[in-house]
Amino acid sequence: MLNKLTGRKKMSSPEAAEELQHEKIPSHIAIIMDGNGRWAKQRGLPRIAGHREGMNVIRNIVKACNNIGVDTLTLYAFSTENWKRPKQEVDFLMRLPERFLSVELPKLIEENVRVRITGELEKLPDYTKKAVNKAVDSTKHNSGLILNFALNYGSRSELMDAFKDIYEDVDKGLIKKEDITETTVTDYLMTSGLKEPDLLIRTSGEMRLSNFMLWQLAYAEFWFTDVLWPDFTQDNFHEAVKAYQKRQRRYGGV
Ligand code: IPE
Ligand code: IPE
Ligand code: MG
């Protein structure tokens, strides 16, 4: 069955979604999926149990995005600072893309989702790279939701690399210093080609960016919830979109 509003395959139709104003759906939603460790701790489980549970939530949120016609969903999965965690936890996190995609990739293909990765892939273990490259490659012709995983992503390092690349291209005479604009910087970032996020959601009660998309979020609307990521539901997601729809975006105007 097709969704009347989006023409996409209909995944689910929770009542909350029906209440949304369909002309004001955020085009790009970014989520800092936080609170897996605390979720596990509350249950006396090891932190990795929280990551496993959190992985299952992604499925529901992808469905919800597809259902309401979001263009791009960016999920912050691993930051450049997360390498500081205990080796056992990092190892588990590095295995997650493989685990997730071994089950979900066929469904993502079937749902016309295009997988994209934003982050420094070279530094990831081979099995992680292999899993994500396969997903990117086998969905590259899909035209539906862009599911963008921020994996080994850090905004400062991204900006620094962009500045270096711009400097190099000026040096080579490929661009002129006086021609550098905001669009130039945007185009040199890893997110080049993506729209900037309209709505940023962070779970688990933390109210900080943790080095996430500092440039791209300049005019995004922020929405925070105390709900821990493994407990985050489609209803919570719709609540965030509803709150977004009540915001007045002024971009410095009146
Ligand atoms: C988010 O949950 C997942 C990653 C950062 C990979 P956390 O692991 O940060 O969970 P808390 O914040 O410790 O509860
Ligand atoms: C941000 O969460 C990174 C991801 C969700 C992948 P963290 O849990 O790493 O952030 P801090 O350490 O609380 O700022
Ligand atoms: Mg955290």
Side-chain angles (χ1 to χ4, degrees), residues 32-34 76-79 82 85 202 206 208 210:
I32 303 178
M33 309 182 285
D34 200 11
Y76 202 7
F78 191 89
S79 79
N82 288 146
R85 297 186 177 203
R202 183 167 187 155
E206 307 299 353
R208 54 176 169 263
S210 302

Side-chain angles (χ1 to χ4, degrees), residues 109 112-115 135-144:
I109 293 172
N112 197 24
V113 171
R114 180 146 50 111
V115 177
V136 170
D137 200 55
S138 51
T139 60
K140 68 181 174 208
H141 298 303
N142 288 354
S143 55

Side-chain angles (χ1 to χ4, degrees), residues 93-95 97-98 121 124-133 151:
L93 288 168
M94 287 300 140
R95 285 281 175 192
E98 198 184 30
L121 272 190
L124 301 176
D126 285 340
Y127 51 82
T128 316
K129 271 189 280 201
K130 201 173 148 207
V132 299
N133 284 333
L151 193 57

Side-chain angles (χ1 to χ4, degrees), residues 107-223:
K107 296 183 212 163
L108 295 173
I109 293 172
E110 141 98 19
E111 289 161 15
N112 197 24
V113 171
R114 180 146 50 111
V115 177
R116 178 171 167 154
I117 307 292
T118 298
E120 289 173 60
L121 272 190
E122 316 80 63
K123 293 181 186 150
L124 301 176
D126 285 340
Y127 51 82
T128 316
K129 271 189 280 201
K130 201 173 148 207
V132 299
N133 284 333
K134 182 180 164 202
V136 170
D137 200 55
S138 51
T139 60
K140 68 181 174 208
H141 298 303
N142 288 354
S143 55
L145 175 75
I146 298 173
L147 175 57
N148 179 35
F149 288 98
L151 193 57
N152 194 22
Y153 173 82
S155 187
R156 286 186 173 177
S157 139
E158 174 194 39
L159 282 163
M160 221 173 52
D161 286 345
F163 299 150
K164 284 184 194 164
D165 288 346
I166 293 172
Y167 179 87
E168 242 178 63
D169 285 352
V170 169
D171 209 38
K172 286 186 200 148
L174 296 173
I175 41 170
K176 291 202 197 98
K177 185 182 160 197
E178 53 274 23
D179 291 339
I180 297 171
T181 61
E182 288 189 9
T183 310
T184 316
V185 177
T186 300
D187 289 346
Y188 275 76
L189 297 176
M190 290 170 171
T191 47
S192 148
L194 292 178
K195 292 177 200 155
E196 43 190 69
D198 300 295
L199 169 63
L200 172 81
I201 297 172
R202 183 167 187 155
T203 58
S204 89
E206 307 299 353
M207 298 190 194
R208 54 176 169 263
L209 288 178
S210 302
N211 203 13
F212 186 56
M213 294 200 169
L214 304 179
W215 176 277
Q216 297 90 334
L217 291 170
Y219 268 107
E221 296 296 328
F222 289 12
W223 188 82

